[in-house]
Amino acid sequence: MPKGSNTPVPATALRVDVGWRSGPGVPDADASALLLAGGKVRSDADFVFYNQPAHASGAVRHEGKRQDGGRVTDTLLVDLTRVEPGIETVVLAASCDGGTFGQVPDLSIEVKDAAHGTVAARFDSTGATTETAFVLGEFYRRQGAWKFRAVGQGYSSGLEGLATDYGITVDEPQHAAPPAAPVAPPAPAAPPVAPPVTVPQPPPPPAAPPAPVRLTKVTLTKAAPSVSLTKQGGTSGSLHVNLNWEVRKQFSGWAAKLGRPVAMHADLDLDLCALWELTDGRKGVVQALGNAFGSLHQPPFIHLDGDDRTGASASGENLTVNLDHKHQFRRILVFVTIYEGARSFADLHATVTLRPQHGAPIDFSLDECTVPSTVCALALITNNGGDLVVQREARYLVPERGVSPQRTVDHAYGWGMNWTPGRK
């Protein structure tokens, strides 16, 4: 589509892929959406991005990034049937982290039918220079139907400038005021004599305004692989860990009647797990295998939220850590195993996100797998004298013949546990 053009789109669930070509010196980018009524958001809740990944109506959800060869895609899921009547426009944007869009090659936005994968619209954005945010496109209502418009409008003020332009209140760092010069106290005066009066009760204080939106986040890389949760203010409440991956397709052979190959979804079953060790020496594992789902309010204070056994769930695999018991943790290793559906992690395009209840979210992508690995260490959380540190591992391990993935990751990190065979 050329810039400024529009096309009808089906009023259904759509997959919006913001993509670009990765490489040395290419900054990271993030997709976002704003739901507008009269050209502005109704409240900060109408902003969907990495720190606020789902709209309350269920109409828009930020799914996250994946890598496919040399290309990165950040995805938004938009269900136009669930957009509230007062919303007229859904703006689809991207922001650049650590650089400008002049450094981001082959930037594009593609709209697909989420159920069938058919492409409804595509816009390739070109000519960027110093912009750090872009409105790439928008869905808008016209005579009861939905259309997509290719916009291509850039901002040099980043995600903050884009957000505030549409009415978002952004959290700004607070700067301490300089200390005031000392002033001599006035001489005490005798209090005047006054008749007693009735003091009226003050009115109740107004309700506190909602907290402004925080735009900060942390992306871990090989060059900067660790971050302190303590310094980020994320050492209480829950820590939500998500693993999301692309469901691969494979050819099942030649169809007898059609005479051509038919694409089928692989039944890929990945299991998110965590080895844990407490300061009193107790240690164990949280995993679906053996129904060892853990507990949030008693040791190990880690709970596996569920087991995605189909690979079709958009939410991926999730576990939660109760950081209110951080003083009892010595270390936690989050890892993933292939239970069935593949012989290795090759061609698996996965993203790991750690979202503390307080503090900035932390994310990173897995590297390409070039070894026959069935277990990958994702992140190591350690308690260093009260400082909780998250370390990006992204380490593919190859089990020896007859050795389980769990025993393999245990041996690599020196956990020292005894393992017995188990089943789901």
Side-chain angles (χ1 to χ4, degrees):
M1 294 179 63
K3 181 176 178 178
S5 63
N6 62 74
T7 184
V9 292
T12 183
L14 300 172
R15 181 185 183 95
V16 179
D17 288 336
V18 175
W20 62 94
R21 181 160 47 87
S22 62
V26 176
D28 193 26
D30 297 286
S32 58
L34 300 105
L35 290 80
L36 309 183
K40 298 285 186 179
V41 297
R42 300 165 302 179
S43 72
D44 292 350
D46 286 339
F47 185 28
V48 177
F49 69 121
Y50 49 77
N51 262 6
Q52 197 164 265
H55 193 261
S57 66
V60 183
R61 184 172 74 248
H62 180 240
E63 189 179 41
K65 293 190 182 74
R66 67 185 189 278
Q67 293 193 15
D68 186 358
R71 192 162 179 82
V72 183
T73 304
D74 199 9
T75 299
L76 297 162
L77 296 180
V78 181
D79 188 347
L80 294 176
T81 63
R82 302 180 72 172
V83 176
E84 297 156 297
I87 297 297
E88 303 157 353
T89 309
V90 179
V91 169
L92 307 166
S95 56
C96 206
D97 187 15
T100 68
F101 276 108
Q103 303 167 272
V104 179
D106 299 343
L107 178 66
S108 68
I109 183 169
E110 191 170 68
V111 179
K112 298 178 182 178
D113 185 299
H116 303 98
T118 53
V119 177
R122 179 185 173 93
F123 170 55
D124 293 279
S125 181
T126 59
T129 54
T130 60
E131 296 87 352
T132 50
F134 255 99
V135 174
L136 296 171
E138 63 183 16
F139 296 120
Y140 65 98
R141 297 183 197 261
R142 183 60 51 88
Q143 297 178 346
W146 284 97
K147 289 188 173 184
F148 172 80
R149 178 185 289 118
V151 178
Q153 177 185 349
Y155 290 74
S156 60
S157 49
L159 185 60
E160 179 177 350
L162 184 148
T164 53
D165 196 38
Y166 287 104
I168 299 294
T169 305
V170 176
D171 187 12
E172 298 180 354
Q174 300 297 316
H175 301 284
V183 178
V193 178
V197 296
T198 301
V199 179
Q201 293 297 319
V213 172
R214 296 184 61 182
L215 301 183
T216 55
K217 75 161 188 170
V218 177
T219 297
L220 300 181
T221 63
K222 288 182 179 179
S226 64
V227 64
S228 167
L229 282 175
T230 305
K231 293 178 181 178
Q232 294 288 325
T235 56
S236 63
S238 60
L239 172 66
H240 186 76
V241 183
N242 170 260
L243 172 70
N244 216 320
W245 66 93
E246 181 183 6
V247 178
R248 298 177 299 132
K249 290 186 177 181
Q250 63 183 11
F251 288 109
S252 61
W254 289 86
K257 293 183 179 180
L258 300 178
R260 57 185 174 84
V262 179
M264 302 290 289
H265 285 291
D267 292 327
L268 179 62
D269 184 7
L270 301 182
D271 283 343
L272 190 64
C273 315
L275 284 169
W276 54 269
E277 183 178 4
L278 302 182
T279 54
D280 61 8
R282 285 181 289 177
K283 59 183 68 173
V285 64
V286 171
Q287 60 179 4
L289 199 65
N291 295 321
F293 287 92
S295 174
L296 274 183
H297 303 293
Q298 60 186 18
F301 309 111
I302 305 169
H303 183 256
L304 182 64
D305 296 357
D307 180 25
D308 179 6
R309 302 187 66 169
T310 66
S313 170
S315 62
E317 290 268 322
N318 302 273
L319 64 80
T320 306
V321 180
N322 187 346
L323 294 180
D324 290 336
H325 295 271
K326 61 183 179 295
H327 60 283
Q328 298 192 50
F329 292 126
R330 178 170 291 162
R331 56 177 178 161
I332 302 169
L333 178 68
V334 181
F335 66 99
V336 60
T337 67
I338 298 176
Y339 185 71
E340 61 183 15
R343 295 181 179 178
S344 79
F345 287 109
D347 299 323
L348 177 72
H349 313 301
T351 301
V352 181
T353 304
L354 297 90
R355 195 178 303 277
Q357 185 173 340
H358 308 287
I362 302 161
D363 67 8
F364 60 88
S365 298
L366 296 186
D367 301 320
E368 290 293 325
C369 180
T370 58
V371 295
S373 169
T374 56
V375 57
C376 179
L378 302 177
L380 181 65
I381 304 172
T382 54
N383 186 345
N384 300 328
D387 183 14
L388 285 182
V389 176
V390 175
Q391 171 83 22
R392 175 189 187 269
E393 296 294 309
R395 179 182 176 188
Y396 294 106
L397 301 170
V398 181
E400 297 180 0
R401 181 180 295 273
V403 178
S404 69
Q406 289 85 352
R407 189 187 296 271
T408 299
V409 74
D410 178 318
H411 178 74
Y413 286 85
W415 231 264
M417 292 173 55
N418 296 319
W419 297 92
T420 56
R423 299 179 62 184
K424 289 188 182 181

